Amino acid sequence: MEQIKEIKGWKWNFIAGFGSVTIGLLTLITTWWSILHPYANWWLGTSNLDFKFESMRLLGKNASPYYTTIASVGGINVTILGVAIIFISKNALRFGQKWAWYFLLVSFLCVGLHDAAALTFFFAQTGQPLLVFAYAYCALMLTGLLVTKPQIFK
């Protein structure tokens, strides 16, 4: 039986997946915490924002359900993407599968760069340091992609 050769650098992407899982779960947990505590300032895990979930009703009757949906959908999508990155890195990229490299590239470009830009804007407006997760994700993903590319496309 032939031994499958493991490529170097796949663990960078594997570790990046945990950053995605962390920010996704943080989004879910803090959203539901704030919904369950509607009269407390919106909690982010590191500190609070200057509004309460209850105060969103002043924006209109659809504001709270809209935000709840966006935060829940976004949080679970980022979490599941992280899980996919972890599994694909370990079970496909690790063994040189080209499709895995392309999947991770798209994940980096479409999710990583977008989230880094959005969280940079959020930081500029609120001073909340959530952008650290997105920047770490991007650095780890890009490192993994650059290290594995020559081995995948030789």
Side-chain angles (χ1 to χ4, degrees):
M1 187 161 137
E2 185 180 327
Q3 181 74 12
I4 298 174
K5 187 175 181 200
E6 185 176 294
I7 67 168
K8 292 177 175 73
W10 68 270
K11 289 181 183 175
W12 290 102
N13 300 98
F14 178 78
I15 294 166
F18 288 97
S20 184
V21 168
T22 301
I23 194 66
L25 288 176
L26 184 63
T27 300
L28 285 171
I29 290 166
T30 59
T31 296
W32 287 105
W33 175 269
S34 295
I35 290 167
L36 294 171
H37 300 87
Y39 298 101
N41 279 357
W42 194 275
W43 180 64
L44 288 177
T46 56
S47 62
N48 295 318
L49 294 174
D50 63 354
F51 70 92
K52 300 165 180 46
F53 183 77
E54 174 61 24
S55 67
M56 282 199 281
R57 69 181 172 78
L58 299 173
L59 298 172
K61 70 178 184 169
N62 296 322
S64 295
Y66 176 75
Y67 183 80
T68 302
T69 301
I70 295 301
S72 293
V73 169
I76 198 66
N77 286 346
V78 171
T79 301
I80 296 303
L81 174 67
V83 171
I85 289 168
I86 291 166
F87 281 105
I88 289 171
S89 296
K90 185 175 183 192
N91 298 307
L93 182 67
R94 178 179 174 187
F95 300 112
Q97 298 292 312
K98 286 182 183 176
W99 69 266
W101 192 90
Y102 283 115
F103 172 84
L104 295 169
L105 176 65
V106 170
S107 298
F108 167 70
L109 293 173
C110 296
V111 177
L113 295 180
H114 172 269
D115 288 0
L119 288 171
T120 300
F121 177 77
F122 181 75
F123 174 74
Q125 300 298 311
T126 66
Q128 301 297 323
L130 298 178
L131 71 151
V132 171
F133 291 104
Y135 279 75
Y137 170 85
C138 286
L140 290 164
M141 286 291 283
L142 184 58
T143 300
L145 289 167
L146 292 174
V147 170
T148 59
K149 183 180 178 189
Q151 298 168 78
I152 299 278
F153 299 99
K154 50 185 167 179

